Amino acid sequence: MKVRIRFTKTGSMQYIGHLDLMRFFQKLFRRCGFDVCYSQGFNPHQLMSFASPLGLGVTTVADYLDVSLESYKVTSLAGDGYAGRTLDAKEWLDRINSFSNEMVTVTGIYRQPDNAKPSMSLLSAASYVIYGMEPAQAMSVEEFFYNEHEIKYEKKTKKSVKELDLKQGIYAVAAGYEKYCALAEELSVRDVAYERKTAYSADALYMLCKSGSDVNVRPDMLLACYGMKMEPEREYDRYKYEIVRTDMFYGDEKLISMSL
C-alpha cells in the first residue's frame, strides 16, 4: 500500500537539513504507530522518499513524501490505547499532527496505486512565493525577467560550475497573486483553494520554476542575477527575503499538481 503525504514545514524548521527532516518523520511515524514498511537486510529502514529536498532557509506549504504502508492499522508501538485500530486517512492526518509540532503539519494523505512511480521521478516544476519585497521592487524583478533575452546563472556544484539560462528554466514570474494566476492558468492544474489559503498575497513575487533531477531552478537564482544587473552597488543578500515553496508539479499535457 502506497500513500502520498502533503506537508508544511515552517518557522525554525527551515534551518534543519534534508537528512534531519527524514529522521524527524521516521521518529514521528514510530511514535504515532503509522504502519510503515521496512526494507529487508542487515540495517532495515522505513520505505519513504521525498519529492525533492528543500534548501536550507526555505519554508514550504506543500511538499510531498511517499510512504509504503503495511496497513492503515495503528501498530503496537503506540502506547495510548490505539494499537490495532484501523484509521481512515482523515483520522491518520489528525493523529500524525497530534504527535508532530506546529512547524511540521500534514495537510493531506492520498492513497496511490501499488504501481505508482515515486514523486521524485515525476517532478518537473515547483511554485514559489517571495515575501519581503516592496511592490515596486517585485514589479521590477518581473520586468527584468521578461525584458531580458537570456539570463545566465552560474550554478556551482562540488565538482564543476554549470551555466543555466534562467529564461529557459522559469515558466512564469508575477508581482501579485492575481497576475500569477492569469499566467499559471495556461501552464498548470493547481489546487487553487489550498494555494489561496496558504500562500495568497496581493503584493508578493510569485514564480513557477523547472524542478527535478535534470534541472532545478530556485527563485534566489533570479534574484541574484537581478541584483547583479539592476543593483550592482549592493551586495545580494538572499536571506533578506522569505522564500516559500507553494506546490510541486509533474509533467503531462499541462503541469499537473501532485496534490490532485
Side-chain angles (χ1 to χ4, degrees):
M1 181 188 304
K2 294 183 178 180
V3 295
R4 179 163 296 150
I5 293 175
R6 180 174 65 187
F7 67 93
T8 70
K9 188 181 84 163
T10 59
S12 59
M13 288 291 286
Q14 66 184 288
Y15 300 114
I16 73 166
H18 176 63
L19 292 179
D20 287 326
L21 182 64
M22 182 177 292
R23 295 186 190 102
F24 175 88
F25 273 103
Q26 289 171 345
K27 294 177 180 179
L28 174 61
F29 291 157
R30 284 200 297 268
R31 289 179 61 206
C32 71
F34 208 35
D35 197 8
V36 182
C37 294
Y38 281 77
S39 63
Q40 303 298 312
F42 183 75
N43 187 26
H45 59 274
Q46 293 181 13
L47 297 179
M48 64 169 67
S49 63
F50 292 80
S52 179
L54 195 65
L56 234 63
V58 179
T59 58
T60 178
V61 294
D63 259 33
Y64 296 87
L65 168 64
D66 294 334
V67 182
S68 295
L69 297 180
E70 296 285 0
S71 70
Y72 270 136
K73 289 184 178 180
V74 181
T75 68
S76 59
L77 294 176
D80 58 354
Y82 273 75
R85 290 182 55 178
T86 298
L87 308 181
D88 61 26
K90 176 63 169 61
E91 290 172 321
W92 267 118
L93 187 150
D94 293 337
R95 181 170 174 81
I96 292 171
N97 286 335
S98 71
F99 282 83
S100 186
N101 58 49
E102 70 279 1
M103 293 174 287
V104 176
T105 304
V106 173
T107 58
I109 299 178
Y110 308 95
R111 180 79 176 265
Q112 302 294 301
D114 290 339
N115 61 350
K117 293 182 178 179
S119 54
M120 67 168 58
S121 68
L122 299 171
L123 183 65
S124 63
S127 55
Y128 298 86
V129 57
I130 298 91
Y131 299 109
M133 285 187 173
E134 294 294 329
Q137 187 181 21
M139 181 65 70
S140 179
V141 175
E142 177 190 326
E143 292 173 350
F144 166 74
F145 175 75
Y146 287 108
N147 290 339
E148 295 294 314
H149 176 66
E150 61 179 14
I151 302 174
K152 296 295 185 181
Y153 178 85
E154 290 188 348
K155 184 177 181 180
K156 296 180 181 179
T157 65
K158 293 181 180 179
K159 297 182 179 180
S160 63
V161 176
K162 183 179 181 181
E163 188 175 71
L164 301 176
D165 181 5
L166 300 185
K167 291 285 288 187
Q168 304 301 316
I170 299 177
Y171 294 107
V173 178
Y177 182 74
E178 301 304 332
K179 188 183 294 186
Y180 170 72
C181 282
L183 292 171
E185 182 66 28
E186 297 300 318
L187 297 168
S188 64
V189 177
R190 305 169 353 263
D191 189 343
V192 178
Y194 181 80
E195 195 176 73
R196 281 185 174 274
K197 177 182 176 182
T198 57
Y200 173 82
S201 175
D203 300 323
L205 185 68
Y206 289 81
M207 294 189 199
L208 182 62
C209 307
K210 283 187 178 180
S211 186
S213 56
D214 295 332
V215 179
N216 189 48
V217 176
R218 306 184 310 271
D220 59 284
M221 296 178 179
L222 179 62
L223 298 181
C225 292
Y226 168 83
M228 284 188 291
K229 182 155 187 179
M230 306 302 291
E231 301 174 348
E233 71 283 356
R234 297 185 183 180
E235 184 177 352
Y236 171 69
D237 180 10
R238 159 16 228 111
Y239 292 100
K240 69 186 291 188
Y241 308 113
E242 180 187 359
I243 298 177
V244 181
R245 189 154 67 186
T246 57
D247 212 340
M248 305 171 77
F249 304 83
Y250 64 86
D252 204 329
E253 293 180 4
K254 287 187 176 182
L255 300 174
I256 309 299
S257 171
M258 288 184 176
S259 61
L260 299 180

